[in-house]
Amino acid sequence: MTEIAEVPSMSLWDLCLQGGWTMLPLALLLLLTIYVFVERYLVISRASVEDENFMQRIRGYIHEGETESALNLCQANASPYSRLIAKGISRIGRPMNDVLVAIENTGNLEIAGLSRGLPWLATTAAGAPMLGFLGTVIGMVQAFYAIAQAGSSATIDSFASGIYAALVTTVAGLVVGIIALFAYNYLVARINKIMNRLEARTMDFMDLLNEPAS
């Protein structure tokens, strides 16, 4: 009976080492992606928390003319929604258009703050596959160079390392790019949801200023 030769196993670390120097920037991009995602996820999650009675209490304070109490409530709440309303309260007495512009500018700043770091994810999503492709080209060049050097005595071993580098970097680049893409789209969706709520609170506050005091 013919014995089948046992194929030596290769760990994930050994496989990554076969990818060459391009695996280093890909590893750094992966770490950056994880850091930005976790940090932004925590920030956005905190920003998503909203007190359901907040606007009702603000309405009561405004109708009673207690703008100072309303501002104190906004400061105690410390959320994008409360900072938005606080800006509007500080502009009470001015033309309605000025109040609206001040609130919208504050909302834009809040969204910009929540979006900080997301360009890194977008860049990684686009750049990581390109780095992987660069590693692929380098690996193929190494493989064909090894074949040319070996001449007629070329064997599989002559260019196997180049093929390893080509395939490993392609996979690594795609994996990092896909992770960054999903992370980016998820965070953008969460931010868009907050943006919609900010717009709703803006309209609620503008309607509140037009309500007659009870």
Side-chain angles (χ1 to χ4, degrees), residues 1-7:
M1 181 179 297
T2 304
E3 294 184 0
I4 300 176
E6 183 179 353
V7 178

Side-chain angles (χ1 to χ4, degrees), residues 22 26 123-137 169 173-174 177:
T22 53
L26 287 174
T123 301
T124 300
M130 297 301 294
L131 276 174
F133 180 68
L134 174 62
T136 299
V137 174
T169 55
L174 289 175

